[in-house]
Amino acid sequence: MAVDEKVIQNGILGMGLRGDPKTGILRGFGVILAINSVDYLVERELDFIRAFPEAERMAENALVDAAQWCANATFGGMMKSPEWAGLIAPMVSSKRDTIEALHAVQNTLGWGRVIGYELDEKNTTYTMRVQHSYYIEPYLGRHGRSERPRCYMWLGVAAGNMDLVFGTKVHSFEGQEVKCETMGDNVCEFRVKQKRSLFDLM
Amino acid sequence: MSHDNIVKAYLDTLGFDPNKSVLTIGGSNVAFHCDKFNTRILKNIEDVMGYEEGSALLKGWAMKTSFRELRKFLVDGPGAGIFSALDPRGRMEAQFEMFKVLAYGAVEIDSLSELGGTFRSRTSYLAEGWLENKSAWGWELRRGPACHDMCGHIAAAMCLAYGKPEGSYKVSESSCRTVGSEDCVFEAEGA
């Protein structure tokens, strides 16, 4: 049985995702969700980076790190949840299925759309392509074209997807955003590979 | 007082474009994120910038974006008719119902006037997330309150309740569940 994105999407959105009318808390898939303003998500990150003009890379890494942990804990938690067992697990029987199921879930969250990927299981590399990433519109609208890639959350999630698919600990994989719509590309592209251990370098 | 009508009008604006995977509510783009992501971002920003500066950044953007987006729905959009007929207390209650829809947690009014107010939450989203993740990730006790986002959201709501411009109120969190209090308490005052 192949992964059916539409079934997953309808299943998730059909859960009527909103905060509980009494507590205002939304628990599902083993996590606590909130519906955040995209402008808020993007501007807080850009402002954080702007605070460190001499150390932009360090600030960017802190954002990617948060997203990679998020991917591991959130989607790792989701994969153990009763909702996943009932709705998604019956469609999944390989690493490729797992990554497609993760894409299907990620495509329901308002983050933009994963439109393609390549997974090389032997060499443990992965390329993921996204359009309409939620960074693009706010970035281009307020800051104009960027000279560097900006989709920090997606980069962490791409590497996190590989941590999950290969069942390794968090940060076993690392990635790079090699194309970004904020730079004028027509797609955002993320390339992920396994981190080299000290042993590999000897 | 029930605010079912404003919640219904707000939910009626919920839309999902499957071709772009874009989610909207109240005319603004929104996205689901979980406690793991938001508390990690909170922690990384506070750890790198320092508590005070990190708090100011998060409060500031929560206030600006909430003000813009609440106003889009409640003043310039489909919620305008219902919202404009409410008194300031009703307007705050209505916005808190919208916060529940967004899964920010439940907030109650202890006191309220044009000069400011006191608000209380037992389920503020970031506190809930922090407490959930603290033991799992071995985080230490916090040095200060965690609900910077909620401070910004309440500051924006106060401006709209009293028909004032963005930035007219400042909100601080005087006690927080993440530092051992029973409730998160928010104090608003005119800026």
Side-chain angles (χ1 to χ4, degrees):
Chain A
M1 183 181 185
V3 171
D4 187 333
E5 179 174 329
K6 204 154 208 152
V7 169
I8 293 176
Q9 207 161 69
N10 291 341
I12 293 175
L13 294 172
M15 290 166 68
L17 295 173
R18 54 166 287 192
D20 177 83
K22 277 207 177 350
T23 63
I25 291 294
L26 170 54
R27 285 181 186 272
F29 284 100
V31 293
I32 309 172
L33 291 161
I35 303 172
N36 293 118
S37 149
V38 160
D39 280 355
Y40 173 63
L41 294 168
V42 173
E43 292 299 343
R44 73 180 177 182
E45 294 190 5
L46 297 177
D47 213 16
F48 173 59
I49 293 165
R50 274 195 295 269
F52 298 96
E54 308 297 323
E56 282 191 346
R57 188 69 67 198
M58 178 266 308
E60 288 175 334
N61 287 343
L63 298 173
V64 174
D65 166 78
Q68 193 159 353
W69 274 100
C70 153
N72 186 274
T74 305
F75 299 114
M78 282 185 172
M79 289 162 77
K80 292 177 192 146
S81 71
E83 292 95 329
W84 183 283
L87 180 68
I88 301 171
M91 303 179 196
V92 173
S93 61
S94 66
K95 288 185 167 52
R96 195 163 285 277
D97 290 343
T98 303
I99 212 131
E100 288 181 11
L102 287 168
H103 292 164
V105 173
Q106 287 154 8
N107 280 347
T108 64
L109 301 174
W111 295 359
R113 181 162 184 76
V114 180
I115 57 157
Y117 77 100
E118 281 102 42
L119 175 66
D120 182 337
E121 293 183 41
K122 187 164 168 270
N123 293 308
T124 56
T125 60
Y126 163 60
T127 299
M128 179 180 79
R129 282 178 287 279
V130 172
Q131 276 186 330
H132 312 292
S133 155
Y134 71 45
Y135 289 86
I136 309 308
E137 205 178 293
Y139 193 93
L140 291 175
R142 289 196 203 94
H143 308 284
R145 186 176 284 206
S146 176
E147 290 178 356
R148 55 202 297 157
R150 293 292 177 182
C151 302
Y152 309 112
M153 184 275 295
W154 272 116
L155 178 55
V157 167
N161 281 349
M162 286 294 272
D163 288 335
L164 285 169
V165 165
F166 284 91
T168 53
K169 60 183 185 182
V170 190
H171 288 300
S172 297
F173 286 83
E174 63 188 350
Q176 222 186 333
E177 186 177 8
V178 295
K179 292 182 184 174
C180 183
E181 288 186 64
T182 64
M183 297 164 64
D185 295 309
N186 63 357
V187 72
C188 299
E189 185 171 303
F190 306 87
R191 291 193 191 151
V192 177
K193 61 180 184 183
Q194 194 150 22
K195 275 186 185 167
R196 296 181 74 183
S197 66
L198 188 59
F199 181 76
D200 294 331
L201 299 171
M202 289 168 69
Chain B
M1 181 183 171
S2 164
H3 291 284
D4 291 349
N5 49 0
I6 212 139
V7 168
K8 184 183 178 310
Y10 195 46
L11 285 169
D12 283 347
T13 65
L14 185 61
F16 180 69
D17 177 349
N19 297 318
K20 296 181 176 176
S21 296
V22 169
L23 194 63
T24 53
I25 192 166
S28 301
N29 287 2
V30 290
F32 285 104
H33 266 297
C34 69
D35 56 309
K36 318 295 178 203
F37 179 66
N38 278 312
T39 55
R40 276 270 166 191
I41 288 275
L42 166 73
K43 186 173 189 312
N44 286 1
I45 288 180
E46 285 180 349
D47 285 351
V48 175
M49 295 186 82
Y51 179 81
E52 293 299 333
E53 279 191 51
S55 165
L57 182 152
L58 294 168
K59 273 185 198 178
W61 279 109
M63 189 273 291
K64 281 181 199 171
T65 54
S66 264
F67 180 82
R68 243 178 359 227
E69 295 175 7
L70 288 167
R71 188 175 63 179
K72 191 184 280 186
F73 175 72
L74 293 170
V75 179
D76 304 324
I82 306 168
F83 190 67
S84 63
L86 298 171
D87 63 13
R89 188 180 188 90
R91 289 179 179 183
M92 288 304 287
E93 289 169 348
Q95 291 177 97
F96 289 160
E97 289 302 317
M98 291 166 62
F99 291 174
K100 282 192 209 166
V101 170
L102 298 171
Y104 294 170
V107 185
E108 289 168 15
I109 301 171
D110 276 359
S111 67
L112 177 68
S113 79
E114 193 167 356
L115 297 175
T118 303
F119 309 92
R120 185 177 298 272
S121 176
R122 196 158 287 185
T123 56
S124 172
Y125 165 74
L126 272 179
E128 197 80 4
W130 185 277
L131 293 170
E132 182 120 335
N133 295 321
K134 187 168 74 78
S135 52
W137 282 339
W139 287 347
E140 293 169 3
L141 264 182
R142 289 183 54 80
R143 283 170 296 160
C147 306
H148 312 312
D149 294 15
M150 186 63 91
C151 290
H153 301 321
I154 293 173
M158 284 291 288
C159 295
L160 290 160
Y162 286 98
K164 296 195 171 185
E166 176 188 320
S168 297
Y169 290 91
K170 280 191 176 162
V171 174
S172 57
E173 189 178 10
S174 55
S175 61
C176 182
R177 292 170 63 219
T178 63
V179 287
S181 302
E182 197 174 338
D183 293 329
C184 299
V185 177
F186 303 91
E187 313 281 351
E189 58 179 16

